[in-house]
Amino acid sequence: MVKKGLIIAGIVVLLLVIVVIGQYNSLVNLETGVDAAWAQVENQMQRRADLIPNLVNTVKGFASHEQQIFEDIAAARSRLLNAQTPEDQMEANNSLDTALGRLLMVVENYPTLKADASFIRLQDELAGTENRIAYARKEYNEAVEKWNRSIRRFPTVLIARMFGKDPYPYFQASEQAREVPQVQF
Amino acid sequence: MKKGVRIGLGGVLILVLLVGNVFAAFPRPVGFVNDYINVIDPESKNEMEALARKVREEQGIEIAVVTLDSTEGMSIEEYAVELFNDWGIGSSTEDSGLLMLLILGEEQREIRVEVGYQLEGILPDGKVGAILDQYVLPYFYEGQWGQGLLTGMKAYVAELSGEEFELAEERDNDFVKTVVSFFILMMLLMIFGSRTPFIMGPGRRSSRGYVPPTRGPRGGGGFGGFGGFGGGRSGGGGASRRF
């Protein structure tokens, strides 16, 4: 009788262990997904940072006295490149968005620059990279959403607590990036 | 009472989800050329279908042309990448697809060319945009949508085949000349180069590094139809123009 009880207890424990392993692995998959999506975001932010010196140099050739905006862009860019945590990177990326938005506004005042073939090419590359960042950000946020949901849900919440798993931050697009730029006189 | 409210809320949620799905649903592809708003003339359409089929058979690259009257509130960039990945343009192992999306609506007149992952190296955004400016938009300004798309497609195909496609620094001036010589080149290549097209062009740069994958016709379709896209993906590369 006691023996039978032990066997049943053993089977229950075994099943429990299997369930825990399964849940743990599903969490690992989700977290790997978040990491991979973030790597893609970083990749594209880096790509944009690499493009900026070319763009700035081209604009400088036509509008050398717009010193302030060049300095702002350089500062935002180096902040992005030196950022350590994802939160810092997101913030620096958003301030780079703002600075670049202002640069493109300034460009409006220089018709010859706007019509310059190499500037148009750079602008296409920049727009393409921004579009890639937007897409990578969307994929990242989707992965984060899945992750954050599953570490709050039963039963994965137990496993997440056990292994100290934290929610990841969403990557919010900067407010300025969505606003239509305002020209200041 | 409370239960009723809860059920009601649940119903609303389900409705929202359903509507959301309908909202995000894309039309089904009917071929390489999907002229949903009937703006492409039949000659251009046939030529584009034939060219797209040829490119798929010989290089494994899939080109889709789509015309619509709106992007349903999304930006054209967002719509294009979602449509691209929903359809899966290009082979799934190589992501070698290209989407030309033309939007002609009341307030929206835009074109976007979306490039699959694999083709980003050979068709960087700057080049995609330059080809739009140089070969597509001049036709669009005259309302020749089919001709513009066709000329653009030919330019992209030439680029993808490793052909040096001259991008003149001065536009308009050399435009007609370039287009004419391009057509002559295309004709010559079509006549003499049917087995290994575009390989003999004098301007070919081997340093480009990209050798388009050669593969046999898939699925044994022969002259057969379009048969759906291969499952390729894009990550938002390409260029757009508003006009």
Side-chain angles (χ1 to χ4, degrees), chain A residues 47 115 117 120-121 124-125 128-129 131-132 135 138-139, chain B residues 77 82 85 112 120 124-126 129 171 233 236-237 241:
Chain A
R47 180 194 173 114
I120 293 173
R121 188 176 56 76
D124 274 330
E125 299 283 349
T129 302
N131 198 42
R132 288 183 182 87
Y135 186 70
K138 199 198 95 194
E139 300 257 292
Chain B
E77 287 81 12
E82 297 290 345
N85 291 331
R112 174 158 185 86
E120 284 185 1
D125 305 338
R171 300 183 195 181
R233 292 185 61 81
R241 288 290 182 271

Coordinates of all heavy atoms in Angstrom, one line a residue, chain A residues 47 115 117 120-121 124-125 128-129 131-132 135 138-139, chain B residues 77 82 85 112 120 124-126 129 171 233 236-237 241:
Chain A
R47 N 23.9 50.8 -38.4 CA 23.9 51.1 -39.8 C 23.6 52.6 -40.1 O 24.2 53.2 -40.9 CB 22.9 50.2 -40.5 CG 22.7 50.4 -42.0 CD 21.5 49.7 -42.5 NE 21.2 50.0 -43.9 CZ 21.2 49.0 -44.8 NH1 21.5 47.8 -44.5 NH2 21.0 49.4 -46.1
A115 N 18.5 68.9 -54.8 CA 18.5 68.3 -56.2 C 19.8 67.5 -56.4 O 20.0 66.9 -57.5 CB 18.3 69.4 -57.2
A117 N 22.5 64.8 -56.8 CA 22.3 63.3 -56.9 C 22.8 62.6 -55.7 O 22.2 61.6 -55.2 CB 22.9 62.9 -58.2
I120 N 20.5 62.9 -52.8 CA 19.3 62.1 -52.9 C 19.6 60.7 -52.6 O 18.8 60.0 -51.9 CB 18.7 62.3 -54.3 CG1 18.2 63.7 -54.5 CG2 17.6 61.3 -54.5 CD1 17.8 64.0 -55.9
R121 N 20.8 60.2 -53.0 CA 21.1 58.8 -52.8 C 21.2 58.6 -51.3 O 20.7 57.6 -50.7 CB 22.4 58.5 -53.5 CG 22.8 57.0 -53.4 CD 24.0 56.7 -54.2 NE 25.2 57.6 -53.8 CZ 25.9 57.3 -52.7 NH1 25.6 56.3 -51.9 NH2 26.9 58.1 -52.4
D124 N 17.9 58.6 -49.6 CA 17.3 57.3 -49.8 C 17.8 56.2 -48.8 O 17.1 55.5 -48.2 CB 17.4 56.8 -51.2 CG 16.4 57.3 -52.1 OD1 15.3 57.6 -51.6 OD2 16.7 57.5 -53.3
E125 N 19.1 56.2 -48.7 CA 19.8 55.3 -47.8 C 19.3 55.5 -46.3 O 19.0 54.6 -45.6 CB 21.3 55.4 -47.8 CG 21.9 55.1 -49.2 CD 21.9 53.6 -49.5 OE1 21.7 52.8 -48.6 OE2 22.2 53.2 -50.7
G128 N 15.7 54.5 -45.9 CA 15.6 53.1 -45.9 C 16.1 52.5 -44.6 O 15.4 51.6 -44.1
T129 N 17.1 53.1 -44.0 CA 17.6 52.6 -42.7 C 16.6 52.9 -41.6 O 16.3 52.1 -40.8 CB 18.9 53.2 -42.4 OG1 19.8 52.9 -43.5 CG2 19.5 52.7 -41.1
N131 N 13.5 53.1 -42.0 CA 12.4 52.2 -42.3 C 12.7 50.8 -41.7 O 11.9 50.1 -41.1 CB 12.1 52.1 -43.7 CG 10.7 51.5 -44.0 OD1 9.8 51.8 -43.3 ND2 10.7 50.6 -45.0
R132 N 14.0 50.4 -41.9 CA 14.4 49.1 -41.3 C 14.4 49.2 -39.8 O 14.1 48.2 -39.1 CB 15.8 48.8 -41.8 CG 15.9 48.4 -43.2 CD 17.3 48.0 -43.6 NE 17.5 47.7 -45.0 CZ 17.8 48.5 -45.9 NH1 17.9 49.8 -45.7 NH2 17.9 48.1 -47.2
Y135 N 10.9 48.7 -38.7 CA 10.4 47.3 -38.8 C 11.0 46.5 -37.8 O 10.3 45.7 -37.1 CB 10.8 46.8 -40.2 CG 10.2 45.4 -40.5 CD1 8.8 45.3 -40.6 CD2 11.0 44.3 -40.5 CE1 8.3 44.0 -40.8 CE2 10.5 43.0 -40.7 CZ 9.1 42.9 -40.9 OH 8.6 41.7 -41.1
K138 N 9.4 47.1 -34.5 CA 8.0 46.4 -34.4 C 8.2 45.0 -34.0 O 7.5 44.5 -33.2 CB 7.3 46.6 -35.8 CG 5.8 46.3 -35.7 CD 5.3 46.0 -37.1 CE 5.2 44.5 -37.2 NZ 5.0 44.0 -38.5
E139 N 9.2 44.3 -34.7 CA 9.4 42.9 -34.4 C 9.9 42.7 -33.0 O 9.5 41.8 -32.3 CB 10.5 42.3 -35.4 CG 10.0 42.4 -36.8 CD 9.6 41.1 -37.4 OE1 10.4 40.2 -37.5 OE2 8.4 41.0 -37.7
Chain B
E77 N 5.5 52.6 -46.7 CA 6.6 51.8 -46.3 C 6.1 50.6 -45.4 O 6.6 49.5 -45.6 CB 7.6 52.6 -45.4 CG 8.4 53.6 -46.3 CD 7.6 54.9 -46.6 OE1 6.6 55.1 -46.0 OE2 8.1 55.7 -47.4
E82 N 4.8 44.8 -45.0 CA 3.8 43.8 -44.5 C 3.3 42.9 -45.7 O 3.2 41.7 -45.6 CB 2.6 44.5 -43.8 CG 3.0 45.2 -42.6 CD 3.4 44.4 -41.4 OE1 3.1 43.1 -41.4 OE2 4.0 44.9 -40.4
N85 N 6.0 40.5 -46.9 CA 6.2 39.3 -46.0 C 4.9 38.4 -46.0 O 5.0 37.2 -45.8 CB 6.6 39.7 -44.7 CG 8.0 40.3 -44.7 OD1 8.8 39.9 -45.5 ND2 8.3 41.3 -43.8
R112 N 6.5 52.6 -54.1 CA 7.6 52.1 -53.2 C 8.1 50.8 -53.9 O 7.3 50.0 -54.4 CB 7.1 51.8 -51.8 CG 8.2 51.1 -51.0 CD 8.1 51.2 -49.6 NE 9.2 50.6 -48.9 CZ 10.4 51.2 -48.6 NH1 10.5 52.5 -49.0 NH2 11.3 50.6 -48.0
E120 N 19.4 43.2 -51.0 CA 19.8 44.5 -50.5 C 21.2 44.9 -50.9 O 21.5 46.1 -51.1 CB 19.7 44.5 -49.0 CG 18.3 44.6 -48.5 CD 18.2 44.8 -47.0 OE1 19.2 44.8 -46.3 OE2 17.0 44.8 -46.5
P124 N 21.0 48.6 -53.3 CA 21.0 49.4 -52.1 C 19.9 50.5 -52.3 O 19.5 50.8 -53.4 CB 22.3 50.1 -52.0 CG 23.0 49.9 -53.3 CD 22.3 48.8 -54.0
D125 N 19.4 51.0 -51.2 CA 18.2 52.0 -51.3 C 18.5 53.1 -52.2 O 17.6 53.6 -52.9 CB 17.9 52.5 -49.9 CG 17.7 51.4 -48.9 OD1 17.4 50.3 -49.3 OD2 17.9 51.6 -47.7
G126 N 19.7 53.6 -52.2 CA 20.1 54.8 -53.0 C 19.9 54.5 -54.5 O 19.4 55.3 -55.2
G129 N 16.2 54.2 -55.4 CA 15.5 55.5 -55.5 C 16.0 56.2 -56.8 O 15.2 56.8 -57.5
R171 N 20.0 64.4 -65.0 CA 18.9 63.6 -65.4 C 18.4 64.1 -66.7 O 19.1 64.1 -67.7 CB 17.8 63.8 -64.4 CG 18.4 63.3 -63.1 CD 17.3 63.4 -62.1 NE 18.0 63.3 -60.8 CZ 17.4 63.2 -59.7 NH1 16.1 63.3 -59.7 NH2 18.0 63.1 -58.6
R233 N 11.4 37.0 -47.5 CA 11.1 38.1 -46.6 C 11.9 39.3 -46.8 O 13.0 39.3 -47.5 CB 11.4 37.6 -45.1 CG 10.5 36.5 -44.7 CD 10.7 36.2 -43.2 NE 10.5 37.3 -42.3 CZ 9.3 37.7 -41.9 NH1 8.2 37.1 -42.3 NH2 9.2 38.7 -41.0
G236 N 12.4 45.8 -44.7 CA 12.1 47.3 -44.9 C 13.1 48.0 -45.8 O 13.1 49.2 -45.8
G237 N 13.9 47.3 -46.6 CA 14.8 48.0 -47.5 C 14.1 48.4 -48.7 O 13.0 47.8 -49.1
R241 N 8.8 57.1 -53.4 CA 8.6 58.5 -54.0 C 7.1 58.9 -53.9 O 6.3 58.0 -54.1 CB 9.0 58.5 -55.4 CG 10.5 58.4 -55.6 CD 11.3 59.6 -55.2 NE 12.7 59.5 -55.4 CZ 13.6 59.0 -54.5 NH1 13.2 58.5 -53.4 NH2 14.9 59.0 -54.8

